Amino acid sequence: MASSIKTVILFLLPLLLAYSVLAAPDITDGGDKPGPEIDDGGGDKPVPGNNDGASDYAKPAFEPEFMGAWVIDNPNAGVAAMQLQLMPNDQIVWFDTTSLGASGYKLPEGTPCPINPDANNQPDCYAHGIAYDWKTSKYRPLTLQGDAWCSSGNLWPNGNLMATGGTFSGDKAIRVIANDDPKGDFTTKIGALADTRWYSSNQVLPDGSSVVLGGRDSYSYEIVPPQMEFKPKRFDLPFMQQTTEPPLGPGRPVENNLYPFLFLLPDGNIFLFANNRAITFEPATGKTVKEFPVLPGGSRNYPPSGSAALFPLKLTADNAPVIPEIVICGGNQPNAYELVDARHVTEKQFLPALQDCNRIQPMAADAAWIPEQNMPSPRTMGDLIHLANGDMLMLNGAKKGTSGWEDATEANLTPVLYTPYKPMGQRFKELTPTTIARMYHSCSALLPDTRVLVAGSNMHQFYTFDTEFPTELRVEKFSPPYLDPALETERTQIDPANTDAVLKYGKPFKITAALMEKQPLVLGEVKVTLLYPPFTTHGFSQNQRMIVPAITSVENGVITAVAPPSGQIAPPGYYIMFVSHLGIPGAGIWVHID
């Protein structure tokens, strides 16, 4: 009798677990509150959103015990990664500045040395940018014209990289490197932009063009189309001047609103955060749509340099309205830079970085900042990036100080797994620390194989190696917890030959996939994610965007899902598509959405 009862319980338990997940209420913070209502743009009445953190699966996901692992991918890549972009051809382009002397990569003997207009028009025999093949760890030099120091960038719909602005001769430059040429170099147009763009940010728009906004002494934005030839047009943006911390004197800037955080919202407007304030505005006109309350606690943009990200946009098959949600973490006090930078003081004071995070749903009718669980440790200059399964990863940065040369100390070596929809108190998990300090001018990128590449760090005006925090030319790869060797058989394998590589807005698409032991996948146990690869610099991953399309069926190893409805949800271009099985992703493939 006891054996029969046990058999019945074992049979019913998975069904009860699945029902409890499917019947769970919509949640925003672990299950104690319903999701807010959003304005659907029609002005009639608010409608409930669906991006509320409800479970992605019909039964509990795996909880890996693996804490992650680091490996050196290349002991010396020659150029420190100040700005970095993963391209659809599987090369990673990164570069720094041409006006501050030699890099660690001298051009091969016999290679022509380009003339450097920012170094007295002398030949420059050092590379300041590379194209790095993440599969082979090999790299090749790139040629920069016009200093790209502290510039911005994004991908165009055809996969080409556009890098914008910089300083000196490059302050209005556009540089493009083609995606379809594995040996290509930058094509540069000097003076193409309407305003100088030094420490600016980019955001791709629904038509594939890009907003390029802000920068030092540039209280404006402009829209750059996906081609080299265009007539520049400048839009004044008083908000950027209003959020600027006044300088203390000639040559002594503070700002606190450089590299502003930009996010395209599902209504087509842009969310803009600078210093401690935010607005949404219409990109076509510059008109302010909404103003938000001040975010208390300190300054979040450069040089205090907090991090920000848009949560994954979860879609439904019938295109129910989506509630976008944004999180901002870390930074420092408004006066942190002036207390530590050599242009302001002779005795540096390294203020502790901020440890808080705050969330907002900007399309909610009563949008307000909601305190998130504190990070396990303070962090400035950190990266906050999407992982393949929809979780997030915090890494890099420092515990004290700000961005700037020698302006930070106490490297934060410990990456943190961030799962924002777990119950409060369970959202952050510290992982295996690295041994390499990644502070000012460091970058990271999620790779198609689900690992994270980490490169760069240069706290100094020049390449410097005999100091506590040397210029870092080593390249690392980090394996997140979902790469637990004990769960290897739970990883999915996509069959590219039988998977749609082009997704059309609003149309069904198919993915052929199976578990590594060739077991078929089951509806309710799989999740598809689409990552728009960001341009990462100075702690902000510009254009980073993850879409979670609705799955309508899983039959005979074929997943049918619905592509995003428009460019407002997913701007046209290349995305990495992953399939996760109960939280464990397999390697992704490149797809194109249009």
Side-chain angles (χ1 to χ4, degrees):
M1 181 68 177
S3 176
S4 299
I5 293 174
K6 182 178 179 181
T7 300
V8 171
I9 291 173
L10 290 173
F11 174 76
L12 290 176
L13 184 58
L15 298 177
L16 291 170
L17 287 170
Y19 176 78
S20 66
V21 173
L22 290 170
D26 288 347
I27 56 175
T28 57
D29 59 355
D32 52 357
K33 293 181 181 180
E37 297 181 328
I38 63 172
D39 186 342
D40 64 0
D44 298 323
K45 57 182 179 180
V47 293
N50 61 297
N51 189 28
D52 50 19
S55 176
D56 296 313
Y57 306 105
K59 66 180 185 181
F62 291 103
E63 291 285 349
E65 297 182 3
F66 181 58
M67 302 300 285
W70 294 88
V71 296
I72 300 294
D73 192 60
N74 193 303
N76 186 344
V79 175
M82 184 188 294
Q83 292 101 171
L84 181 149
Q85 174 74 63
L86 169 66
M87 296 184 64
N89 61 14
D90 287 326
Q91 294 187 23
I92 304 176
V93 172
W94 71 71
F95 48 92
D96 59 3
T97 173
T98 59
S99 62
L100 294 176
S103 71
Y105 185 1
K106 191 169 185 178
L107 297 176
E109 192 73 29
T111 302
C113 299
I115 298 299
N116 187 341
D118 299 312
N120 299 317
N121 289 314
Q122 295 299 305
D124 188 348
C125 294
Y126 287 85
H128 302 283
I130 63 171
Y132 187 94
D133 187 322
W134 67 264
K135 293 180 177 180
T136 66
S137 308
K138 296 180 180 179
Y139 57 92
R140 59 186 177 86
L142 297 174
T143 304
L144 288 172
Q145 297 177 350
D147 195 359
W149 179 8
C150 298
S151 54
S152 55
N154 61 266
L155 292 181
W156 278 343
N158 62 2
N160 292 354
L161 165 61
M162 176 185 74
T164 45
T167 190
F168 299 122
S169 66
D171 60 0
K172 293 185 178 182
I174 290 180
R175 308 163 195 85
V176 175
I177 185 167
N179 176 57
D180 60 1
D181 184 355
K183 296 183 179 180
D185 206 342
F186 279 111
T187 299
T188 303
K189 186 176 180 181
I190 300 294
L193 299 173
D195 209 343
T196 58
R197 302 295 173 195
W198 195 23
Y199 302 94
S200 61
S201 295
N202 293 17
Q203 173 58 58
V204 179
L205 296 175
D207 65 354
S209 59
S210 179
V211 162
V212 184
L213 187 149
R216 181 161 286 169
D217 298 324
S218 298
Y219 311 118
S220 65
Y221 73 94
E222 53 197 286
I223 297 177
V224 179
Q227 63 258 357
M228 290 287 282
E229 299 300 325
F230 64 96
K231 184 177 181 180
K233 182 180 179 181
R234 179 181 188 274
F235 295 81
D236 288 329
L237 197 62
F239 177 77
M240 291 306 295
Q241 188 158 19
Q242 295 163 10
T243 54
T244 298
E245 299 286 347
L248 302 181
R252 302 173 67 196
V254 177
E255 283 111 349
N256 286 350
N257 69 347
L258 300 179
Y259 281 122
F261 303 143
L262 302 179
F263 299 102
L264 174 67
L265 300 180
D267 61 3
N269 293 319
I270 301 290
F271 178 88
L272 162 61
F273 185 95
N275 196 341
N276 61 356
R277 293 172 51 195
I279 60 171
T280 53
F281 71 93
E282 293 179 346
T285 65
K287 176 184 176 183
T288 298
V289 176
K290 186 184 291 188
E291 297 184 14
F292 300 94
V294 170
L295 175 58
S299 297
R300 312 292 176 159
N301 297 90
Y302 183 96
S305 298
S307 301
L310 176 70
F311 288 163
L313 299 176
K314 298 182 182 180
L315 310 182
T316 62
D318 60 353
N319 293 324
V322 178
I323 294 180
E325 188 165 10
I326 292 162
V327 67
I328 296 178
C329 295
N332 212 318
Q333 299 299 327
N335 65 337
Y337 181 69
E338 64 187 82
L339 291 177
V340 75
D341 191 76
R343 285 176 291 184
H344 305 296
V345 295
T346 54
E347 295 293 330
K348 291 175 176 281
Q349 299 180 52
F350 296 93
L351 294 188
L354 301 178
Q355 196 167 343
D356 66 326
C357 293
N358 295 270
R359 298 160 65 151
I360 194 168
Q361 295 179 341
M363 288 177 61
D366 56 350
W369 293 101
I370 304 299
E372 170 62 291
Q373 179 183 331
N374 278 355
M375 297 181 289
S377 58
R379 198 178 296 260
T380 176
M381 299 181 291
D383 289 334
L384 177 56
I385 62 172
H386 289 297
L387 293 176
N389 64 353
D391 290 342
M392 305 183 83
L393 184 71
M394 296 176 170
L395 73 169
N396 299 345
K399 296 180 182 180
K400 290 184 177 180
T402 70
S403 293
W405 293 325
E406 290 94 31
D407 286 349
T409 190
E410 291 192 26
N412 197 325
L413 302 174
T414 305
V416 175
L417 183 68
Y418 176 37
T419 47
Y421 296 114
K422 282 191 173 182
M424 187 71 83
Q426 301 178 27
R427 296 174 181 174
F428 293 113
K429 181 179 181 180
E430 291 189 298
L431 305 176
T432 302
T434 180
T435 59
I436 299 176
R438 303 285 186 180
M439 300 169 74
Y440 191 41
H441 294 153
S442 61
C443 299
S444 58
L446 177 66
L447 300 174
D449 71 358
T450 76
R451 291 182 294 174
V452 175
L453 181 137
V454 184
S457 190
N458 187 13
M459 296 282 291
H460 318 287
Q461 182 175 3
F462 309 108
Y463 278 42
T464 305
F465 302 100
D466 56 348
T467 184
E468 180 182 8
F469 301 115
T471 302
E472 190 54 67
L473 301 179
R474 288 174 290 180
V475 181
E476 290 177 288
K477 285 178 180 173
F478 177 68
S479 296
Y482 53 53
L483 284 170
D484 188 339
L487 296 172
E488 183 69 15
T489 58
E490 305 300 335
R491 284 167 64 79
T492 58
Q493 289 182 318
I494 298 174
D495 177 4
N498 294 292
T499 294
D500 292 333
V502 177
L503 282 53
K504 296 295 183 180
Y505 287 126
K507 303 296 184 182
F509 66 96
K510 296 185 182 299
I511 309 164
T512 301
L515 296 176
M516 293 192 72
E517 290 188 339
K518 305 305 180 184
Q519 295 297 314
L521 298 170
V522 178
L523 182 66
E525 297 182 8
V526 294
K527 173 181 177 179
V528 176
T529 53
L530 299 164
L531 175 72
Y532 191 104
F535 180 97
T536 299
T537 186
H538 291 76
F540 181 43
S541 293
Q542 301 176 19
N543 310 293
Q544 180 174 236
R545 198 174 194 83
M546 178 165 277
I547 312 297
V548 185
I551 296 174
T552 56
S553 68
V554 181
E555 297 179 359
N556 301 319
V558 178
I559 301 168
T560 302
V562 181
S566 70
Q568 293 181 187
I569 297 293
Y574 283 92
Y575 291 70
I576 312 173
M577 181 168 68
F578 300 98
V579 175
S580 295
H581 170 240
L582 297 177
I584 307 302
I589 65 170
W590 288 99
V591 298
H592 194 274
I593 300 179
D594 57 38

